[in-house]
Amino acid sequence: MRTIVVRPACETDFNFAFDRIISAGGGLIERLLGGGRQEMARKVMQVLWTAEPNPFYYQASLIAELNGTPAGLLTSFDVGTSSCADLPLSLLIRAGGIKLVAYHCLHPLLGIQSQRLTARTSDEWYINFIATAPCYQGLGVGNVLMQEASHQARQAGIPKCSLFVEPSNTRAIQLYQKHGFVEQYYLKKPVPFIKMTAATI
């Protein structure tokens, strides 16, 4: 019998969370945090994981465990009021140094898109990352995490959830549609993403 339990993430979940975030990011995370290199992105995210609130902060994340083993990750927050929606330049410098900031300056579309991914609205609970480990896909982990995100939004009195997904990730899109998400608009550059939203109340 499979038992899925959702718990708050902790500092020691970093390696599991990083692998899930990389798999869900469509290459954007390597560019945003690592100047195009995954190993650099790992070092930067390791700082962000335990720094003050930011989009990669562990205290905004939940871990789904299947029979006691980490199987899925959910990072979400109230995009209108949470400081997790911000990635301040000072924090990016602390985590990645001047080389990473210089990379961002040379790739302005990257900054524009990352800002649009967490654009502040007063009525959205933003699902920043949701991902299931490959060996646990198809076992209901994603469904449980989607239900948890909707529950968090309702508890906060927020009428809808939003997320971004790569157009090529048809499996994830089918999961989101199953939970009532519909396409709102399309971002093309530097990485293509579809914004989807669903009512929670």
Side-chain angles (χ1 to χ4, degrees):
M1 179 176 157
R2 296 190 296 266
T3 303
I4 300 171
V5 176
V6 178
R7 63 165 175 82
C10 58
E11 294 184 26
T12 56
D13 289 313
F14 171 75
N15 288 328
F16 176 80
F18 179 79
D19 290 342
R20 301 290 69 74
I21 288 171
I22 286 293
S23 70
L28 183 64
I29 303 306
E30 291 93 325
R31 296 181 191 185
L32 179 65
L33 300 184
R37 298 176 313 179
Q38 188 174 124
E39 195 48 46
M40 179 62 180
R42 177 181 290 274
K43 290 178 182 176
V44 171
M45 190 183 142
Q46 197 155 22
V47 174
L48 300 177
W49 183 246
T50 56
E52 62 265 25
N54 70 83
F56 304 91
Y57 191 39
Y58 80 96
Q59 289 190 14
S61 297
L62 298 173
I63 300 291
E65 291 186 336
L66 185 59
N67 296 331
T69 302
L73 170 76
L74 169 68
T75 301
S76 63
F77 42 80
D78 175 357
V79 75
T81 62
S82 174
S83 53
C84 287
D86 299 322
L87 185 55
L89 182 60
S90 59
L91 182 55
L92 198 61
I93 291 172
R94 178 160 58 111
I98 197 67
K99 286 185 178 180
L100 183 58
V101 174
Y103 177 86
H104 278 246
C105 291
L106 292 171
H107 299 82
L109 282 177
L110 180 67
I112 292 169
Q113 188 178 50
S114 64
Q115 289 173 9
R116 289 192 70 188
L117 291 177
T118 51
R120 288 195 178 278
T121 60
S122 60
D123 63 347
E124 289 183 4
W125 186 266
Y126 181 55
I127 299 174
N128 197 21
F129 301 107
I130 183 167
T132 302
C135 58
Y136 295 112
Q137 290 178 357
L139 300 178
V141 174
N143 284 315
V144 169
L145 290 174
M146 292 297 294
Q147 291 166 3
E148 183 61 33
S150 183
H151 174 70
Q152 288 181 328
R154 285 193 300 272
Q155 278 195 318
I158 297 174
K160 64 181 175 182
C161 283
S162 67
L163 54 80
F164 285 87
V165 60
E166 291 178 89
S168 60
N169 194 347
T170 54
R171 185 171 187 168
I173 291 172
Q174 288 172 355
L175 172 67
Y176 305 150
Q177 289 173 335
K178 177 180 174 182
H179 288 268
F181 281 75
V182 295
E183 181 175 340
Q184 187 174 6
Y185 62 79
Y186 189 98
L187 294 178
K188 292 184 178 180
K189 294 179 179 181
V191 179
F193 280 105
I194 298 169
K195 182 175 184 180
M196 303 183 75
T197 59
T200 59
I201 297 175

